[in-house]
Amino acid sequence: MISQSHSHHLLLTQSSSFSFVFLPKLITKPTHSLSFNSQSSMFPSLSLRPPNPTTTAVSVSDNNRLLSSDPVPPLRIAIIGFGNYGQFLAETLISQGHILFAHSRSDHSSAARRLGVSYLPDLHDLCERHPDVVLLCTSILSIENVLKTLPFQRLRRSTLFVDVLSVKEFAKTLLLQYLPEDFDILCTHPMFGPQSVNSNHGWGGLRFVYDKVRIGEDELRVSRCESFLGIFEREGCKMVEMSCADHDKFAAESQFITHTLGRVLGMLSLQSTPINTKGYEALLDLTENTCGDSFDLYYGLFVYNNNSLEMLERIDLAFEALRKELFSRL
C-alpha cells in the first residue's frame, strides 16, 4: 500500500504543462502503459438491502422515512473525530434517541454541548464509557494514527467498530491490522454529506454502502450490527451491501471523477450569468459541492483508492482526444 501511494506521488510530481486549451493537463502519462479494463462486468457482491423484517415500512411525506412499529433500544455510540462530518451524523443519531460520546483531536466541546453529546477530551475516558459502537469519523489521512493510540484494553471485547471513510479497501486493511480479533468490523460509506442532504431535503433515497467485514455469530452482536444499519434505514436511505473492493471500483468513477471535475471547474472561477442553462447551473452546483470539501479528502480519494490513478489517466486521455478532434476540423 505504501509503495502504491509512493508511485502515485512520483507520477504526480512529473506533471508539467497544459495539454488542453480549456482544462489543465491532469497528469503526465506514465512511461508504462495502462490497460483500461471495462468496469461494466457484474459484481456478485452487490445487493440492495431488503427491508428489516422487524420494521414496518411507512412512507412519510416526501423523504420516505422508515418508521419502526416498536421502540428501538438506544445504542451507546462513541464518535471519534467530531469535526464537520461527525457533528453532521450526530444530529440524526441524537434525534433517534441514541446515547453519544465524542472525542476529537481539536476541541469541539461547544458543538457537543449544543447537540447534547458528552464530549471527552481523553480517549481513555471515552473508552471507559463502554460504548456499543465506536464510530470512526476521522479523516483518511489520520485514521491509522488514531487506531495506533486507541486503548483497546478499556473497551468491551466485542465492541463494534464502524468507519465512514470514502475509500474502503484501505479502511478494511487498517481495521483488520490494528483491531484485536474480538472486535466486530463494519465498513460503511454514506454516499452523502451536509451539502447533498440539504439539497435533497433529508437522507431519503440517498445511498448507504456497507460491508460486514467481521461480525460475531452470536445473536447480540448480529442484532447490534442490524440496529446500527437501521439508523440509516429509518431515515430512508437506500441500503447497498457491497464488498470494499467493489465499492472502490465504483467510487473511482462515481466519486473521484466528480471531485476531479468539480475542482477543475472551480479553478475556472465560473460565475452565474443572466442566461444560465440548467446544465450550467448543475456545473455551478457541482463546483460548490466538491470545493466545499477539504483538499485532504480529495487527496485521500486519489492516494488510497488503487483505481483512481487509472481514472485520472482516462480523463487526461479523453481531454486530449477531444482537443485533437476539435482542432482537426479547423
Side-chain angles (χ1 to χ4, degrees), residues 7-15 26-27 299 302-303 312:
S7 66
H8 287 189
H9 175 73
L10 290 176
L11 285 169
L12 282 176
T13 56
Q14 296 170 1
S15 177
L26 298 176
I27 189 168
Y299 177 76
F302 174 68
V303 173
L312 196 58

Side-chain angles (χ1 to χ4, degrees), residues 145-198:
N145 286 333
V146 169
L147 291 173
K148 285 180 179 179
T149 58
L150 266 175
F152 295 110
Q153 72 278 7
R154 298 184 183 273
L155 292 165
R156 291 198 179 99
R157 302 307 294 173
S158 62
T159 303
L160 172 63
F161 272 74
V162 182
D163 86 281
V164 293
L165 294 186
S166 300
V167 288
K168 301 299 356 136
E169 273 292 290
F170 173 71
K172 174 184 174 180
T173 300
L174 287 181
L175 290 170
L176 288 172
Q177 176 183 346
Y178 287 103
L179 265 60
E181 293 183 359
D182 320 70
F183 293 95
D184 289 347
I185 299 173
L186 178 66
C187 286
T188 77
H189 184 194
M191 304 298 295
F192 52 84
Q195 287 110 336
S196 53
V197 165
N198 288 338

Side-chain angles (χ1 to χ4, degrees), residues 43-56:
F43 291 88
S45 63
L46 168 64
S47 67
L48 291 178
R49 179 179 172 84
N52 190 324
T54 62
T55 63
T56 303

Side-chain angles (χ1 to χ4, degrees), residues 248-261:
D248 285 358
K249 291 175 185 176
F250 284 122
E253 290 191 356
S254 65
Q255 188 179 32
F256 178 71
I257 191 173
T258 300
H259 279 260
T260 298
L261 297 181

Side-chain angles (χ1 to χ4, degrees), residues 82 87 106-117 119:
F82 204 61
Q87 294 172 34
S106 303
D107 183 11
H108 293 293
S109 55
S110 59
R113 283 193 299 271
R114 174 178 57 83
L115 293 170
V117 176
Y119 188 82

